[in-house]
Structures are given as C-alpha cells and as structure tokens.
Amino acid sequence: MSDPRSRAAAIEEKRAKLLAIKREREQRNRDLQSSRQSLGHTPGEGSGYSTPIRTTDRKDIDNLVNALVGQGRSSSTGPRDGASPARGSRPQSLGSGGQLSGGDATSPIRTNGRVVQMVSSQTQTMSTDDTVTYNEPALPKAKPEVAMYSRAVQTSEEWTPPGQQSTGVGDDTVDWEGQSTSPRTSKRISKREREREDEIRTNIRREVEEELKALQLGGTDALGGTAEPNFPSRTLNDDELKAVTSSEDFLDFIERSSKVIERALETEYDILKDYALGSMIDEEDEDGYGTSKGKKGRRVKEVAQFYSERWSKKRTITSLDFSPKFPELILASYTKSPLHPHDPTGLLQVWNIHTPSTPEYTFHSPSDICVAKFSPFHPNLILGGTYSGQVLLWDTRSRNPAPVQRTPLTGSGHTHPIYCLDIVGTQNAHNIISASTDGVVCGWSVDMLAQPQEGLELQAPDKKTEDCSPTAIAFSEADPTYFLAGTEEGSIYTCHRYDRAGAKAGVDQRVVYRGHTAPVMSIDFHPQRGPLDLGDLVLSSSVDWSVKLWRVKPPASVAAGGTTGNIHAVKPLLEIAREDLVYDARWNPVRPSVFAAVDGAGTLELWDLNLDVEVPVAKVVPSEDSARGLARRGLNKVAWEKNEGKKVAVGGLDGVVTLFEVGADLGGTEGVKAEEWAKLKRAVGRWDPKSAVVAGASAGMFSPVNGR
Amino acid sequence: MAHTAPDETLALLTRIGQKPGVQSTLILSRETGAIVRTSGLVANDASANPNATLPPAAENGAEGSITEKKSGLQSAEELARLVWGFVNAAGTMINGLDENDEMKLLRLRTKKNELVIVPDSKYLLVVVHDTPPA
C-alpha cells in the first residue's frame, strides 16, 4: 500500500517527461485558443467571467468539486481523456458557453455546473499525469504521493496558465488542492463511479465539440449562436415559399433590389482598375459608326442605345424628354405594337442612362401615347397625351404601370388625338395645356383632371370654316399667357389663352408666321439662360424639308401697333433647307447658337448659327445593331439634357433611343462665352431687315431691329 | 390598385440571372437566412425545396453547369450560410459605428468575382458575377 520512496527516482524521471508532454499540450491549447479567439471571442471574457462565480459560490463549488475530484483523481481513464485536444478547450467552452447562454446572472446553476465540470477535468488531467506512471495497481497509493508532491506538480507554472483560465481557475485549483480532502476521497473509488466519470467526460467532450463546430460554422456571429447549428437545414416548404414570393414586401424588395443590382452590374467603370498594369487603348479617338468626325470640340459621340426587345420592338417613338430633376432619366413614349396585340397599346418607358438594358420604369396606357413629358415642377410626375384624347398622369412612385390620373373622354375635354402638351406656370401654380388636332386647347390642373380649367378652340383667322389643327405648340418662358401653335397647313399662329386688350382669347387674328408649306413638326422658343434675352427667337421644323428661325413679336407690341382687318404675315428670319423631312429641332439649353435637328433620313444634325447657317457643324447617325436586323430608319424626336446641354437623345421609327454626347463646342456649361449671345444677336440683326414682312403690313408692325 | 403580377416581378429576377457575367443569384430571408429563391446554384441538400430554384431557362441551365465547374460556390446552402453570416457581421459593425445607421449595399470584390448584396429589412438579394475583365 505505501512505499513511496522506492519509486521516488522513477517518479522524478517520469515527471520530467511529463513536464515535456505538458508543455506540448499547452502549446496545443494555446494554438487552439488563439484560433478560437480569432473567431471573435475576447480573451478577457472567459476569465473575467469565472472569477465572480468563484468568489460567490466558492463553497458550493468546493463541495461539488470535492465530490467530483475524488473520482477524477483516482481515475485511470485520465490519459485517454488527456490525450484529446478537447481537454484544453474546455475552459474556453465555459467562456463561450456563457456567452451563448446569454449572461451569468440568469443561469447561475448551469454555469456553476460547468465550472465544476471544468475544474474537475483539470484535476483529472493532473492526476492523470501521476497515474500514468503507476497504472492500475498503483492507484491505491495515490494518497501519500499526492500529499507529497501534488502541490508542486499542480502549481507548476507551465501547467497553470493555459490562456484565459490561468489566473482564475489555476490558482483556485491550487487553493482547494491544499485544503481539500481529495486524496482521501480518491481512495474510495468504485467501478460505478468510474463509469459515471466516463459518462461525464464524454458528455463534456461532446458538448465542447458541438460548441467548436458551431463556432466554426457560425463564423463571427455571436448573437446567432443558437440559430446557427440548425441553419443549413432550414428550408422553406412550398406553402411558405408561395406566401413569401407573393407577398407585397417581397415583390417590393425584388423591384427595388433588382434595380440596384442592375445599376451595380452596368457600371462599367472598374474602380479597382490599375492603370499601371496592361496597355491602355484610348477609345476616345475611335471614329466610326455612331460617331461624327471632325474637330475635337465638335465631336458627337454615341453613348448608349436604349431598346427593349420585348417592349420597344415595332413601336415608334413619339416623344422624348429628359427629367429636369434627374438628368440621367429619359422618358420615351411609344405607339402601339402590331406584334403584341394584347399588350397595352400605349407604352412609356423611362430609361436610365446608366442601365441601357432595362427601363427604370414602364408605364402603360389604353391608347397610343402621342406626347409625354416630365412635369418640370414635380420630379415624380409624368404627363402624357393619347391618341384617344386623354391627358394621363403617371407617378413613378406607384408600382402600377397604369396612369394614376386621367382626363375623361367627354365633350368638355378632348375627343381628338393630343399631339401637343405642355406644363406652364410656376412651382405653386401651374397648368397642363393640351391641344388636340381638332383645335381644342384645354388647360388642366395637375390635381384635378376630371374637368378642364380652361378651354379654347383655335380657328385659323383666314379660314374660319376649317379646323385649325395644331401639330406643335410652344410657350414662351417670359409670358405663359400666349403660345405659338404650328398647324397642319404650315402656318404658325400666336394664340392667347385669355382675353386681353385688343385681342380675344384664341388665335391672334393679326399675325401669322407664314413660311412652312407642310405640317409644322416642332416649335421651340430660345431658352432664356444667357446674358442677353433672345427669348423671341423661335425655331421651327417642318416636313417641307426645312428648319426656320423666327422672330416672334410679343403680343403686347402686336396689340399696340395693331391695325384691324389685315393679317400680317411674318416671314422667317432664316430658312435652312434640308435634304429630308425635318421632324424635330431643339435649341441647346445652354449654348445660344446651337441646336439639334433630326430628319427622316435618320440623321442627327447639330448646328451652330454663329458658325454656319448652311451646313451643320456635325452630322451623326445612330449605330445599328445588326442583331436587331433593322434598316436605318427616320428619326422622330430629339431632346437635350436640360441642365448641362451636353447630352442629346434621339429616337425614331425603329423604337430605339440613342444617346449622344456632344463636344465642348456644341454643349456643356464649360467654355460658354457671353459673346456668343452678342454674336447671335448681331447675326439676328443682320438677318432681320432682309426678312421683310410681306406687302400690306404697316410700318408700325415692325419692332426695331435692335430694339431689345 | 392592381399591382404588377408576381410573375412579372420575378421575371426581373430571371433577367438578372441571365445577364452576361452573372453566375448566380440568391434571395434569402434576412431574419432566418432561409433560401427563398436561387438561380445558377446547385442545391446539395436533397431536402431543399426545388421550388425555390427559378425555373431554369434554356440558357440558364447551360450556364449553371458551366459556372458549377469553374466556381467554387456551387452549393446554394453553402453560399447562403456564408453570405448570411457575413451580412450579419457587417450589420453588427454598422450598428456599432452608428446606432441609427443602416446597411444599404455590399459589394464584395474578390480575385475571381464580385458579390453584390442588397440587404433589406426582410430579404437579401445576392448576385455573384464575374468582374469586368481587367
């Protein structure tokens, strides 16, 4: 039973060996700990956590520990356990277990239990180190040996500081080891107890392994710890799926997120690009289809084409407009498609410059949309006029592609196609003005489309019996009470919205701008942005193969100098004959002398009146997509980006919207010189006297050439 | 007010999945991480609901098999789990920076591809796509 001395030498030898083994284990433990800590556990948590428990429940623990340690100490199964790496991680499992179970205060019993388990396991391993040397037969001798040297072994520095637990549990172990009766209890070993011990040990190991697994699986997510172990098995069944995929939330989310994704994917600029790597090809100098040649500043470059195989096909573009608030948005309205008779007839797509493959918004209408515009006073609203004679209002905030408001098809509104639409007024007081081909002009309030606020019937002054059929209208920025209406027969009339001194509401009976011999396709007032007011210059295009420049007389001056009875036909300042039908002509919003025109041959022409009045500065044809298999088609509409005047969009019979960017000489706010206005003004002065008023006009009709 | 049919909305998703360069798409529930919809991914778990996978369009199926070979992330569950963990970690970080802040978009660029993650209050949309050739 007791002859310790005879084995002393052997023990010393073994102890040295054991020390080496312990070091090795420690190393392993540390490695394990550090890997675990790197998974997101702060090292302080574990030890800081165990301390309060030790102090508060010291007695309990001691009791428990004593009971347990007795078994552990004498156990011969120790080596098996000790060999497993799980042993070292057990102390940590306490820390992480505490975190996972969410707070020491709430579950003291459980954590106490854990502490005890842990402590006992440590003592086991310590005793293991002894028992290895003796093996089974030596067990009963454990008592005196422990009394002699256990302290030295157990307090040895190499053993106690395994990571977080070092100060807390290590010291504690030593304490109670000194005072405890564990050596004695260890004698009372029984098979049953050993089995229980094994059970506990395997339990612990399983627990630890589970925790480790969870940690590895769950990565850094500390809170989701409970959800993670069963995460991969979470699959929705059919009903759940259906419920989810048809829920409003989900659809909303898809709609929003797919736009974001789309933009993210379409952004071509690679922010990770390293210009030092690889050779760069300068694509700026590439000249080809879709790009006009010429001097650098006058270059026109094709940026993007917007076309949807599903929706745009076989539809003709009827209008184009840039959003005044979001310059990257372009709206295009389309006629009906013969390919899809069951699709909504009218189509309106809002394209984003950055995502050419998909429209940002799509809107429908029951009838062809002949004209559409962004509301300049409300970034979310889009207005349209249809072939059936309705004025429609869409809202980009609505997920519904149908218009949110529409005018009725009654006698009080329009019963003929609306080709002209404009919004005039100010932010707080504006009206929609619409004109249909039967000469009816209506004013609408944006808030109330049920009934027109004002109504007007246009009648040509000389042909009272016939309808005056407006094909284009334009408002002067300076005076929204009158507008110009280009008609089917080619004349342009001044129209007053209200009765005024010397003139009744309707077509002004005294002045007619006569020059076009075919329907007028567009009228555009000069934008008032420069240092000089050129707001009386008007550009018109017509299918008589010409673009004409007019000088409009303000209605006031007409009224002042008016003679009754005679119709004064005003001739254009400038006539620019073209080689094809001109469908649209628009001033550049920032360059006083630049305008863009599109024609039936499918060409976009850019003109600078200060440079040349006979030849366009640049000519460009939208590139063709061979996959689309479309022959070059006429261009219908042209629209400038409103803030910078750097981009111009064209669209035509093939339903493709093409976006161009113009060089610094043709657009853009940079490099605009004040003298450009003066130059144009002088030019206008030169042209004016020649464009005399036709015979019969009184001298009083003339406003002084340089009067403004 | 009649809203767009679910089918039409889901077509948006299908289209994204078919865009050039897009390898796979994945929609998860933000709360539980459950897979709502995938495309271009292979479900390695037999218990996974086949309805969660988008009806494979002709070219979609072909693409899927290609991406399967070349990309390491072919398992929907695997990707879902990793992404979900990542998003939650990112969300925790954002919350740590500013309580009132919210994560709007995650773009994760790797050597091989890019993950674009749109987190929302209830769902997550993940798109894996090839990075532009650089």
Side-chain angles (χ1 to χ4, degrees), chain A residues 586-607:
Chain A
R586 299 283 162 188
W587 292 107
N588 181 303
V590 295
R591 294 302 180 108
S593 59
V594 175
F595 70 88
V598 288
D599 64 23
T603 320
L604 165 69
E605 294 179 336
L606 287 147
W607 293 79

Side-chain angles (χ1 to χ4, degrees), chain A residues 236-254 399, chain B residues 3-10 27 36-37 123:
Chain A
L236 299 171
N237 62 33
D238 276 0
D239 287 344
E240 284 173 316
L241 257 187
K242 210 170 166 202
V244 168
T245 51
S246 54
S247 70
E248 199 82 336
D249 281 341
F250 182 74
L251 296 179
D252 240 16
F253 165 72
I254 294 296
R399 286 218 297 120
Chain B
H3 282 292
T4 14
D7 289 348
E8 211 156 299
T9 313
L10 295 177
I27 296 180
V36 177
R37 207 146 262 257
Y123 305 99

Side-chain angles (χ1 to χ4, degrees), chain A residues 221 223-232, chain B residues 31-32 84:
Chain A
D221 181 38
L223 296 171
T226 47
E228 264 154 351
N230 61 357
F231 167 75
Chain B
E31 213 164 298
T32 62
W84 195 66

Side-chain angles (χ1 to χ4, degrees), chain A residues 508-584:
Chain A
D508 192 302
Q509 304 292 317
R510 295 155 300 181
V511 180
V512 56
Y513 301 90
R514 200 160 276 165
H516 286 299
T517 54
V520 177
M521 297 313 290
S522 77
I523 305 176
D524 195 21
F525 271 92
H526 197 276
Q528 290 179 307
R529 292 237 185 151
L532 287 169
D533 182 13
L534 296 168
D536 57 345
L537 290 181
V538 170
L539 200 63
S540 70
S541 67
S542 162
V543 291
D544 67 354
W545 298 30
S546 74
V547 175
K548 294 190 198 310
L549 183 68
W550 309 82
R551 182 164 198 164
V552 175
K553 298 172 193 336
S557 77
V558 172
T563 52
T564 47
N566 284 334
I567 299 164
H568 308 295
V570 181
K571 280 284 183 196
L573 282 182
L574 198 63
E575 293 186 54
I576 303 168
R578 299 310 309 142
E579 294 114 23
D580 213 310
L581 316 172
V582 186
Y583 282 115
D584 205 357

Side-chain angles (χ1 to χ4, degrees), chain A residues 8-136:
Chain A
I11 288 168
E12 280 305 313
E13 208 178 77
K14 295 280 183 185
R15 194 183 290 167
K17 219 183 212 170
L18 278 168
L19 222 63
I21 295 169
K22 278 176 209 159
R23 282 208 192 95
E24 203 178 275
R25 281 179 192 150
E26 268 168 40
Q27 187 55 43
R28 227 184 303 150
N29 290 348
R30 267 190 222 110
D31 289 351
L32 200 68
Q33 278 160 17
S34 62
S35 73
R36 290 181 55 142
Q37 280 159 14
S38 72
L39 286 177
H41 290 278
T42 49
E45 266 175 84
S47 55
Y49 174 59
S50 61
T51 318
I53 288 176
R54 195 177 66 244
T55 50
T56 52
D57 301 324
R58 176 71 166 278
K59 278 247 156 64
D60 297 351
I61 295 172
D62 281 356
N63 292 340
L64 277 162
V65 159
N66 288 348
L68 280 163
V69 160
Q71 303 149 11
R73 183 138 272 285
S74 50
S75 163
S76 63
T77 55
R80 263 182 279 139
D81 179 53
S84 94
R87 182 183 62 163
S89 66
R90 226 171 273 139
Q92 252 113 51
S93 82
L94 164 70
S96 60
Q99 286 169 349
L100 293 175
S101 63
D104 28 350
T106 53
S107 55
I109 293 158
R110 187 181 161 203
T111 46
N112 282 353
R114 287 206 182 201
V115 169
V116 169
Q117 282 170 2
M118 174 205 63
V119 169
S120 72
S121 72
Q122 263 197 347
T123 50
Q124 281 160 22
T125 55
M126 285 171 212
S127 63
T128 300
D129 299 331
D130 306 339
T131 47
V132 173
T133 61
Y134 309 116
N135 276 335
E136 287 290 337

Side-chain angles (χ1 to χ4, degrees), chain A residues 687-704:
Chain A
W687 298 324
D688 208 6
K690 279 175 258 160
S691 67
V693 176
V694 283
S698 68
M701 277 298 299
F702 289 99
S703 51

Side-chain angles (χ1 to χ4, degrees), chain A residues 307-314 339-340 351 357 627-628:
Chain A
Y307 181 79
S308 149
E309 188 65 28
R310 168 71 180 80
W311 289 103
S312 305
K313 204 170 189 178
K314 292 277 180 193
L339 288 181
H340 303 285
W351 296 95
S357 59
R628 242 172 265 146

